[in-house]
């Protein structure tokens, strides 16, 4: 389902989902067999998917059909209560942070990126500016706003951890500074584990500062692993080479601990199975959790027509990767906060 997407008989099923933006855009949270996963629904491929979710029953669950045959029942998490609220300065909470999967609060602290405005440097899979242009979010979420929303999301909706990502504001701290002030404000308001996500900062002292500000785990995302794929898909960000990422990973693991530093790897952008697994092995050896997810094309981006990887390709990576993780004693459940812990954008945790 994550590779093919699903069609919805009732487009209003579950919580409203968002087009564009960072993270699992054009997806919807779907609960299957008690596990909530993010499934593409707006991509062109999803419109041709063999999977169709029928309109929800009175109890909120739907029959899932594959080529017309019932294969499962699925449910859609309801809109969280905090979506109905607004800040003291009049901004709807849903424009400041979103509910991801079942119990994760996710925000893009800064919705602009130094790399995004120019196609020569922008990552081709990214739609960070689209949701801003469409008025579905605000550019800079202030620490006060984030604290207010996080507190409500914990109290009203029981969120368990928070993901703070950011567009890259500069070529020095690369977002670490605004993540520090944001995490500090949230932690002062509510006891909520936080994962921060940014590019490797120029000065490793930022890892200590992030930790001191209340960040529990850190994501620095390779996205693709082979130099030629990175240069093609993310021409600006590829200037920070894989070796520079590895140097940053080692420094970050020393601060946050083994298994509390992770990286996103998007399968289906051109990296081979072997290249991804080799990089994952290197990552696991130094204590970094490689969160491998299937690429999902997002409408309006240069990769909108690029196919998602099929289920067999994903299995050929996730099965051996699951064995690597078991051997290393690393488990998503032990991550304090973040995408690896949530796991909804991949089926990796099922192979651990
Ligand atoms: S894995 Fe990360 S991006 Fe995906 S739903 Fe969970 S928190 Fe959001």
């Amino acid at each position: 389902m994550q590779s093919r997407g699903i069609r919805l008989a009732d487009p209003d099923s579950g919580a409203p989902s968002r087009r564009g933006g960072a993270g699992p855009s054009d997806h919807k949270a779907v609960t299957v067999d008690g596990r909530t996963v993010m499934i593409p629904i707006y991509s062109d491929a999803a419109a041709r998917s063999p999977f169709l979710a029928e309109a929800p029953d009175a109890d909120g669950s739907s029959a899932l059909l594959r080529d017309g045959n019932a294969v499962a029942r699925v449910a859609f998490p309801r809109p969280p209560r905090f979506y109905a609220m607004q800040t003291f300065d009049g901004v709807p909470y849903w424009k400041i942070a979103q509910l991801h999967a079942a119990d994760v609060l996710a925000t893009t602290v800064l919705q602009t990126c130094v790399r995004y405005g120019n196609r020569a440097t922008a990552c081709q899979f990214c739609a960070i500016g689209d949701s801003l242009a469409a008025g579905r979010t605000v550019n800079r979420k202030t620490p006060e706003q984030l604290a207010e929303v996080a507190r409500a999301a914990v109290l009203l909706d029981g969120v368990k951890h928070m993901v703070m990502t950011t567009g890259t504001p500069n070529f020095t701290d690369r977002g670490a500074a605004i993540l520090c002030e944001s995490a500090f404000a949230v932690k002062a308001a509510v006891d909520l584990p936080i994962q921060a996500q940014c590019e490797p900062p120029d000065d490793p002292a930022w890892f200590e500062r992030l930790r001191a500000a209340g960040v529990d785990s850190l994501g620095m995302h390779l996205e693709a692993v082979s130099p030629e794929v990175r240069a093609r898909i993310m021409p600006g960000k590829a200037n920070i080479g894989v070796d520079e990422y590895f140097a940053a990973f080692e420094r970050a693991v020393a601060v946050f601990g083994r298994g509390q530093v992770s990286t996103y790897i998007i399968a289906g952008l051109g990296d081979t199975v072997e290249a991804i697994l080799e990089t994952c092995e290197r990552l696991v050896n130094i204590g970094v959790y490689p969160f491998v997810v299937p690429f999902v094309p997002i409408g309006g981006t240069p990769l909108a027509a690029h196919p998602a990887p099929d289920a067999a390709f994903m299995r050929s990576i996730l099965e051996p990767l699951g064995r690597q993780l078991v051997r290393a004693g690393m488990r998503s459940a032990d991550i304090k906060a973040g995408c690896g812990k949530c796991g909804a954008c991949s089926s990796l945790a099922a192979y651990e």
Side-chain angles (χ1 to χ4, degrees), residues 22-24 27 36-38 99-102 104-106 161-163 195 197 264 291 293 338-346:
H27 284 57
T36 303
V37 286
M38 300 303 286
L99 182 74
H100 277 198
V104 186
L105 184 67
H161 53 118
M162 182 168 189
V163 173
Q195 184 204 34
Q197 304 180 343
Y264 235 84
F291 188 50
V293 304
C339 290
K341 181 179 191 66
C342 164
C345 287
S346 172

Side-chain angles (χ1 to χ4, degrees), residues 75-239:
F76 300 93
R78 279 213 273 274
R81 282 183 278 187
F82 78 83
Y83 276 16
M85 300 173 70
Q86 61 175 25
T87 60
F88 295 130
D89 47 354
V91 183
Y93 278 11
W94 59 266
K95 289 193 179 187
I96 291 168
Q98 297 256 316
L99 182 74
H100 277 198
D103 57 11
V104 186
L105 184 67
T107 185
T108 302
V109 174
L110 178 73
Q111 201 76 31
T112 44
C113 178
V114 278
R115 307 189 187 286
Y116 186 74
N118 180 350
R119 278 298 173 207
T121 57
C123 300
Q124 296 194 2
F125 48 76
C126 183
I128 192 170
D130 288 7
S131 47
L132 180 62
R136 290 189 292 264
T137 186
V138 291
N139 181 29
R140 178 69 208 277
K141 289 83 173 174
T142 66
E144 295 74 26
Q145 290 172 334
L146 291 167
E148 195 182 324
V149 176
R151 193 162 179 278
V154 170
L155 295 177
L156 298 179
D157 298 289
V159 304
K160 297 286 190 306
H161 53 118
M162 182 168 189
V163 173
M164 280 184 188
T165 193
T166 181
T168 301
N170 58 49
F171 297 116
T172 50
D173 69 77
R174 299 183 178 130
I178 55 171
L179 290 167
C180 279
E181 57 183 64
S182 306
F184 190 81
V186 168
K187 271 285 162 67
V190 63
D191 185 16
L192 183 65
I194 298 171
Q195 184 204 34
Q197 304 180 343
C198 59
E199 294 185 20
D202 62 341
D203 180 353
W206 281 109
F207 298 133
E208 295 281 3
R209 292 178 193 138
L210 285 160
R211 180 95 191 89
V215 171
D216 297 278
S217 60
L218 182 70
M220 293 185 287
H221 297 168
L222 280 169
E223 327 285 10
V225 301
S226 316
E228 63 281 8
V229 179
R230 301 183 87 241
R232 177 164 48 82
I233 300 287
M234 28 194 274
K237 193 164 146 171
N239 288 330

Side-chain angles (χ1 to χ4, degrees), residues 265-281:
I265 295 175
I266 305 172
L269 295 175
D271 286 318
T272 62
V273 172
E274 295 72 26
I276 291 177
L277 284 173
E278 269 169 33
T279 304
C280 288
E281 186 148 31

